[in-house]
Amino acid sequence: MPTLKIDGVEVTVPAQTTIIEAAERLGIEIPRYCYHPGLSVVGQCRMCQVEVERMPKLAIACNTPVADGMVVSTRSPKVEKARRAVLEFYLLNHPLDCPICDKGGECPLQDYTLAYGPGESRSVEEKIQRVKHKVLGPHIVFDAERCILCTRCVRFCHEIPKTGELGVFSRGDQSEINLFPGKVLDNAYSGNVIDLCPVGALTSRQYRFQSRPWDLVRHTESVCPLCSNGCNVVLDVRHRQRGEELLRIRPRENPAVNRWWMCDEGRFTFTYLHDPARLRVPTWREDGPRGEMAYDDLLLRVARAIRRVVEAHGPEAVGCIASSWQANEELFLVRRFFREILGTPHLDFRVRPVQFQPSDASEDGILRRTDKTANSRGARDLDLRPGPGGLDAAGMITAAAEGRLKALFVFEEDLVRAFPDGPLREALGRLDLLVASSLFPTETTALAHAVLPALGFAEKEGSFTNFQGRIQKIRRALTPHVASRSLPEALRELALNLGRDLGGIEPEQVWAAIGERPGPYQGIAWKDIGDLGLLPEES
Amino acid sequence: MAFEKILTRYQDVPNYTGTIDEYIAQGGYQALPKALREFQPADLVETVKRSGLRGRGGAGFPCGVKWGFIPKDSPRPKYLVCNCDESEPGTFKDRMLIEEEPHQLIEGIVISSYAIGCHLAFIYCRGEFVSGAQVLERALREAYGRGFLGRNILGSGFELDVHVHRGAGAYICGEETGLLESLEGKRGQPRMKPPFPAISGLYRSPTVVNNVETLSNIPHIVLRGAEWYASIGPPKSAGPRLFSVSGHVERPGNYELPMSITLRELIFDHAGGIPNGRRLKAVIPGGSSAPVLTEQHLDVGMDFESLAAAGSMGGSGGVIVMDDTVCMVRVGEIVSRFYHHESCGQCTQCREGTAWLHKVLRRIEHGQGRKEDLDVLLDMCDNMKGKTICVLSDAAAMPIESYLAHFREEFEIHIRERTCPFEGRGAF
């Protein structure tokens, strides 16, 4: 392994490492525009030039492999002059519209200009005028004047989704990024070009003009819930007059899960969290019209109904259909409540064909998977499945239709939609007690006696387990609606009403209990789950 | 001293049209059988190394050394690509060679292919060379017909196919890796080096890219020997060279001469001197990328080393002569306009720098210059040189630097008087 010196500091790295990568290990960021670790190296921007002893010219750090005994300077006068020159060249034609540019405040061109660039322009020539705010696709809008032709977007479309919508057209200072004729930038990963773009040339149509970066008060690390891949994300939240608002989701680098990328569906699907149609307060219906009811009252009534059913028909008359939308902590408590406290074997989470192993598969060989829920693996690992003699989801519905099952809890699933063929309404209609939790009103909640508002993934703390078995934390980015309680809170209350103790409901406490049990998560504590998740077999 | 023409000896044959029979009649296609029968490929590489032949495209890299870089043990096919994208302003010798003596090139290609183990060669022909490409196509058909190309060439078992590929009109496709990208059907922009084409060239396979004139020398070296070739001209710049002389001379045209001649001899003895009794003002000795020389350099030899020592370069052999009616600011404007137009645009310094150079020079020429412009120009040139993937950026900066070095006063007059003092007297 070659040992080299960068800015006077020695570092030993594997052969074939480039200078830019070696510097990174020392925490030295060599400025760059075209280089991106996830894309091919083109060496075009010339921003990462460094001085290497005994090399006649400056070397580009992105494409120069290290060698033993190499002495690299990233801040020599020669390097600083070359860097200042590159920035001066960029700024010849780059518009100074930073005050109205989405990128302003988180823009590498601004940042590097501030750090290394010339203070003022020596150019008196007119700037080239180019196409502004051209819509490239459903999510992306393009400003050619701001573009510095780093070609990251072009390479991304060629190399990752392999759709190749973008190219460089014309040459010299007339060069422009554009769509190939007849193409639209609508691949499933198009949003990544927004993150890749080092200037404000490619911006998000959804986020455009919604915020300045410094107004985003919170950058919460979390995990995308929209399929079983569990792409690591950052949730950018802003305070507005009407309250906190999630404005943007960005991918977070995790080499083992999503590298630097995420799909458009995961990136742009979050406005539902702020939808006024969401359920906010618990409701109760019994022989009459549905009405709002305080949690305490509602949970008392539910407890009373459960007790009646159990006393009359035994615990086997109660069933629960949990959901792979739920976090591990919720699932564990659900299982504890139904299997241990109530003592019913009827527990399941599988309401979609894809949740039956091993049908979850890669959708496109990139990131997207066919199981469009976040936590089927966690539900399996935590054994949210029928106990001895227990019924699966479909079995519970049949039992309800036949009058054998008297009480059913349905968490975050719309059974009417999941089982469209059977006489579901009739089955659910025969139940003495139907409790449903949901983000939105559904046909199932319409039939339920008790409806509990559910929390979205950005409103709760916990973890999902992705298809690989990697446990990854989700963190609360948004304060839940003042009237909402989390499911663990509701379950704990319900248990208390039944004279039982559910145990601690905070993630640390839940994991203390999970870790004690035999199973894939044995021995794992909440604090063991790092920023990049935890794969039990690796721990 | 009368110099024996080698590459252009056909010019002394009356009514010569470059057909295969004419070529054979004056001794053509004798080197090929000799090469195939008497030489192992490695011997040919050695012979070319010993001959001292240097690339005639611009860089003057030793040809045999370039061939020697081709890995012997690579399982990949090897390619020879003839660079016939001659686009350097002031250069027009390759065009003449393919139009007038195409078989000399083809014979050179077959021998060179044999030397490096290539079975598929390409002639990348500048897009504007429509008739030249047609001549080459016809000549290739003739060569196939006589068994100089195709399978089992002259019963030797060696096989070679040659294709003519026409470019689409980009100077940058004359840069060897830009050429390879274009030949592969991609956007013509140079590749990062290393790897060099000899290791990873066309279709990521070992590739030699040689200029038309370079390859045209090969049959003569094989036929008459490396020592004979090395004896022509100065030791480090062996062999004959075609100089394309243009501009203010009595007899513009291509001159085949040893590189031992001086600039003075080339301009005054061969090209007939400056017309209309005017004085020589400036000479660009090696294509528009070369720094300018002046009267004081007239006794500089036209070999690679002497021109480099004089602060310029042999380049492509395009000699542009300018008399005292020429405005050097206007020359700068024209030259920079060319590089502005031809920059591929991938590297920042070149994409933006070529345009900025042009705009500033245009402004100065049109009376809008500012005092500070000249220092900005020089600093800009410094920022453009040696910092990009290919040397187009250097090629744009070096001449401008040299115009400022030799004719700074002229620029200052433009700025001071807010007009071009040469206005109405024409340029080159």
Side-chain angles (χ1 to χ4, degrees):
Chain A
M1 292 223 297
T3 298
L4 66 156
K5 239 185 205 172
I6 304 177
D7 292 344
V9 187
E10 240 176 43
V11 62
T12 303
V13 290
Q16 294 310 309
T17 307
T18 58
I19 294 175
I20 210 168
E21 293 162 345
E24 216 116 285
R25 295 194 179 203
L26 293 175
I28 298 171
E29 194 214 36
I30 298 174
R32 77 291 296 272
Y33 288 115
C34 66
Y35 169 80
H36 187 280
L39 302 174
S40 61
V41 171
V42 290
Q44 293 176 344
C45 75
R46 318 307 287 179
M47 189 65 190
C48 70
Q49 296 187 106
V50 292
E51 194 166 354
V52 180
E53 254 181 43
R54 291 198 299 279
M55 280 196 186
K57 295 178 179 181
L58 295 178
I60 46 172
C62 67
N63 198 44
T64 307
V66 299
D68 203 43
M70 202 179 229
V71 178
V72 178
S73 168
T74 76
R75 307 234 29 170
S76 74
K78 216 169 143 189
V79 171
E80 300 227 314
K81 179 170 195 291
R83 213 177 258 168
R84 195 162 54 242
V86 170
L87 289 163
E88 178 179 43
F89 284 129
Y90 275 137
L91 296 174
L92 289 177
N93 286 302
H94 190 83
L96 294 182
D97 61 350
C98 308
I100 56 143
C101 176
D102 268 359
K103 202 78 178 182
E106 52 182 15
C107 170
L109 187 57
Q110 274 187 333
D111 294 347
Y112 291 150
T113 300
L114 198 65
Y116 311 110
E120 49 194 74
S121 178
R122 294 186 293 177
S123 167
V124 294
E125 322 311 320
E126 234 173 77
K127 296 196 180 212
I128 298 175
Q129 299 198 345
R130 302 181 199 273
V131 63
K132 306 282 283 182
H133 46 79
K134 175 180 169 157
V135 171
L136 295 186
H139 304 299
I140 311 294
V141 64
F142 177 52
D143 184 319
E145 289 184 350
R146 293 178 187 157
C147 176
I148 59 166
L149 289 159
C150 72
T151 71
R152 281 182 182 179
C153 56
V154 174
R155 281 174 284 144
F156 175 81
C157 292
H158 277 288
E159 294 166 16
I160 307 298
K162 298 190 169 65
T163 43
E165 295 92 343
L166 296 172
V168 181
F169 297 83
S170 298
R171 67 183 184 210
D173 69 337
Q174 299 299 306
S175 299
E176 246 175 62
I177 304 284
N178 211 336
L179 292 164
F180 281 105
K183 291 270 195 178
V184 176
L185 184 53
D186 60 355
N187 67 66
Y189 296 86
S190 70
N192 291 292
V193 302
I194 303 162
D195 313 323
L196 286 170
C197 185
V199 291
L202 294 165
T203 51
S204 159
R205 293 177 69 185
Q206 186 191 47
Y207 172 73
R208 206 163 129 86
F209 305 137
Q210 290 299 302
S211 180
R212 306 317 310 267
W214 51 86
D215 288 329
L216 298 169
V217 293
R218 216 177 293 146
H219 308 286
T220 307
E221 298 195 343
S222 190
V223 171
C224 173
L226 293 188
C227 83
S228 61
N229 196 57
C231 292
N232 291 204
V233 295
V234 175
L235 309 177
D236 289 335
V237 174
R238 176 177 180 175
H239 284 306
R240 289 202 152 156
Q241 218 161 15
R242 59 181 176 270
E244 292 169 346
E245 196 172 346
L246 176 56
L247 286 183
R248 185 168 73 169
I249 298 184
R250 290 175 289 139
R252 178 163 59 89
E253 182 186 342
N254 187 334
V257 179
N258 54 306
R259 303 173 74 212
W260 302 267
W261 325 123
M262 72 183 297
C263 78
D264 288 356
E265 190 180 357
R267 180 188 298 265
F268 297 115
T269 310
F270 60 80
T271 50
Y272 68 89
L273 291 166
H274 304 291
D275 193 328
R278 271 186 66 180
L279 294 172
R280 297 293 188 192
V281 287
T283 57
W284 177 258
R285 175 185 70 88
E286 195 179 12
D287 308 326
R290 176 178 304 283
E292 290 183 11
M293 185 177 280
Y295 266 98
D296 291 343
D297 296 340
L298 181 99
L299 293 171
L300 271 174
R301 289 187 193 220
V302 172
R304 218 176 292 145
I306 293 173
R307 197 171 281 143
R308 270 203 300 272
V309 169
V310 173
E311 276 165 9
H313 307 283
E316 294 80 12
V318 183
C320 172
I321 297 174
S323 168
S324 49
W325 295 112
Q326 293 179 291
N328 286 326
E329 298 69 20
E330 295 173 301
L331 291 169
F332 177 81
L333 294 171
V334 164
R335 186 180 189 281
R336 176 176 264 185
F337 182 84
F338 287 94
R339 293 288 306 280
E340 295 168 25
I341 292 179
L342 292 185
T344 172
H346 309 313
L347 177 64
D348 200 4
F349 70 98
R350 297 162 298 180
V351 297
R352 296 172 182 76
V354 72
Q355 292 170 316
F356 291 86
Q357 268 185 306
S359 31
D360 179 22
S362 175
E363 190 177 288
D364 53 11
I366 307 172
L367 299 175
R368 292 168 59 84
R369 296 192 63 84
T370 53
D371 183 349
K372 296 300 177 192
T373 63
N375 203 23
S376 293
R377 175 67 187 259
R380 237 183 350 262
D381 286 349
L382 290 166
D383 196 25
L384 271 278
R385 283 181 290 197
L391 298 167
D392 65 9
M396 284 183 244
I397 291 160
T398 309
E402 290 168 0
R404 288 181 282 129
L405 197 75
K406 299 292 182 188
L408 180 62
F409 286 71
V410 183
F411 296 122
E412 302 197 36
E413 294 290 357
D414 183 3
L415 293 184
V416 180
R417 218 166 70 181
F419 298 96
D421 302 329
L424 198 91
R425 267 166 225 285
E426 294 69 25
L428 297 184
R430 289 196 62 181
L431 290 164
D432 292 348
L433 175 67
L434 175 61
V435 180
S437 78
S438 180
L439 287 171
F440 287 93
T442 64
E443 291 189 66
T444 303
T445 61
L447 293 167
H449 301 101
V451 176
L452 297 168
L455 298 183
F457 82 105
E459 295 159 336
K460 55 193 180 190
E461 298 273 339
S463 62
F464 292 143
T465 306
N466 83 346
F467 79 98
Q468 303 160 313
R470 180 177 294 271
I471 309 159
Q472 308 189 100
K473 283 182 181 172
I474 57 168
R475 294 202 168 84
R476 184 180 292 128
L478 298 167
T479 310
H481 188 267
V482 63
S484 306
R485 283 193 200 173
S486 70
L487 185 71
E489 286 170 324
L491 284 178
R492 181 178 55 183
E493 181 79 14
L494 204 52
L496 282 173
N497 291 343
L498 292 170
R500 302 290 295 272
D501 180 14
L502 191 64
I505 60 167
E506 292 306 318
E508 295 83 359
Q509 298 168 320
V510 174
W511 275 91
I514 292 175
E516 279 171 12
R517 311 227 156 181
Y521 301 162
Q522 189 169 16
I524 294 173
W526 176 248
K527 64 170 169 43
D528 298 336
I529 307 167
D531 293 341
L532 301 181
L534 177 79
L535 199 58
E537 55 255 40
E538 282 177 4
S539 65
Chain B
M1 183 191 81
F3 172 70
E4 180 207 345
K5 287 183 187 174
I6 297 160
L7 303 177
T8 60
R9 64 183 168 178
Y10 66 87
Q11 288 175 346
D12 298 331
V13 180
N15 304 319
Y16 190 83
T17 60
T19 61
I20 198 162
D21 289 323
E22 289 170 291
Y23 181 62
I24 291 171
Q26 58 143 358
Y29 285 117
Q30 286 180 13
L32 177 57
K34 184 176 178 195
L36 294 175
R37 283 174 203 142
E38 297 173 19
F39 286 83
Q40 290 300 310
D43 302 336
L44 276 172
V45 175
E46 273 315 302
T47 301
V48 172
K49 272 186 195 167
R50 273 190 292 121
S51 76
L53 170 63
R54 293 174 66 170
R56 300 292 196 250
F61 194 81
C63 179
V65 175
K66 203 180 213 183
W67 290 5
F69 290 151
I70 294 289
K72 313 263 170 312
D73 49 356
S74 168
R76 302 185 70 92
K78 284 133 194 115
Y79 295 107
L80 175 71
V81 179
C82 170
N83 187 344
C84 181
D85 193 58
E86 183 176 65
S87 323
E88 180 75 12
T91 316
F92 39 85
K93 55 170 179 91
D94 293 341
R95 175 181 170 187
M96 182 183 79
L97 287 176
I98 59 163
E99 286 181 353
E100 298 181 359
E101 189 71 312
H103 284 288
Q104 178 173 256
L105 171 64
I106 293 168
E107 190 177 10
I109 288 174
V110 184
I111 297 168
S112 306
S113 297
Y114 172 68
I116 63 163
C118 154
H119 301 288
L120 180 57
F122 295 89
I123 304 174
Y124 186 94
C125 202
R126 175 174 172 177
E128 288 87 343
F129 289 174
V130 178
S131 62
Q134 287 167 348
V135 172
L136 283 172
E137 294 278 12
R138 193 177 62 226
L140 286 174
R141 277 197 301 277
E142 290 176 333
Y144 272 104
R146 302 292 176 91
F148 297 132
L149 282 174
R151 291 182 197 290
N152 195 17
I153 293 169
L154 301 177
S156 67
F158 176 67
E159 69 173 88
L160 175 70
D161 285 306
V162 180
H163 294 286
V164 174
H165 180 95
R166 278 183 55 206
Y171 172 72
I172 196 59
C173 293
E175 196 278 349
E176 62 179 6
T177 58
L179 184 155
L180 295 176
E181 287 286 295
S182 170
L183 190 52
E184 288 180 8
K186 299 173 187 155
R187 189 179 154 81
Q189 48 187 35
R191 296 175 181 167
M192 284 183 291
K193 285 147 281 208
F196 288 91
I199 306 300
S200 177
L202 187 62
Y203 307 118
R204 306 286 162 203
S205 299
T207 303
V208 164
V209 184
N210 280 150
N211 167 266
V212 169
E213 185 187 341
T214 313
L215 289 168
S216 295
N217 275 291
I218 300 297
H220 304 285
I221 294 171
V222 169
L223 214 49
R224 300 171 72 170
E227 287 66 30
W228 162 80
Y229 191 87
S231 71
I232 302 168
K236 286 185 172 172
S237 293
R241 173 145 217 205
L242 284 169
F243 294 103
S244 306
V245 185
S246 64
H248 294 137
V249 288
E250 285 288 356
R251 293 189 298 274
N254 286 317
Y255 293 90
E256 185 184 5
L257 294 163
M259 285 180 259
S260 47
I261 61 141
T262 63
L263 192 52
R264 185 189 302 279
E265 288 168 331
L266 180 64
I267 295 171
F268 291 93
D269 299 350
H270 294 278
I274 318 290
N276 308 319
R278 303 220 64 110
R279 273 189 57 196
L280 176 85
K281 177 173 183 179
V283 190
I284 297 169
S288 62
S289 311
V292 74
L293 298 178
T294 62
E295 234 181 336
Q296 54 163 329
H297 302 108
L298 274 175
D299 294 312
V300 167
M302 290 300 285
D303 57 303
F304 291 105
E305 273 67 33
S306 302
L307 285 167
S312 188
M313 61 187 206
S316 62
V319 179
I320 304 167
V321 181
M322 291 169 272
D323 71 15
D324 53 6
T325 63
V326 172
C327 166
M328 289 314 290
V329 180
R330 174 117 171 94
V331 174
E333 184 199 345
I334 291 168
V335 168
S336 64
R337 182 177 67 205
F338 175 78
Y339 292 104
H340 175 195
H341 188 247
E342 296 295 344
S343 167
C344 82
Q346 61 175 334
C347 300
T348 310
Q349 293 95 331
C350 180
R351 178 181 68 239
E352 304 294 337
T354 52
W356 195 11
L357 271 183
H358 175 216
K359 288 175 184 174
V360 174
L361 287 163
R362 185 175 57 194
R363 208 159 34 70
I364 298 173
E365 169 63 6
H366 294 280
Q368 306 291 313
R370 306 171 310 149
K371 255 207 311 268
E372 52 271 42
D373 282 340
L374 301 186
D375 289 336
V376 173
L377 277 176
L378 284 174
D379 191 46
M380 201 192 302
C381 288
D382 182 54
N383 289 336
M384 289 172 70
K385 283 191 309 176
K387 300 189 176 64
T388 47
I389 289 175
C390 81
V391 293
L392 191 143
S393 191
D394 304 64
M398 287 185 312
I400 305 304
E401 273 184 332
S402 73
Y403 304 166
L404 274 159
H406 293 296
F407 302 98
R408 188 168 176 121
E409 208 192 321
E410 225 171 286
F411 286 79
E412 285 166 350
I413 293 171
H414 278 76
I415 293 169
R416 204 166 49 238
E417 300 184 359
R418 306 195 70 78
T419 184
C420 173
F422 293 83
E423 200 85 318
R425 286 207 276 159
F428 85 111

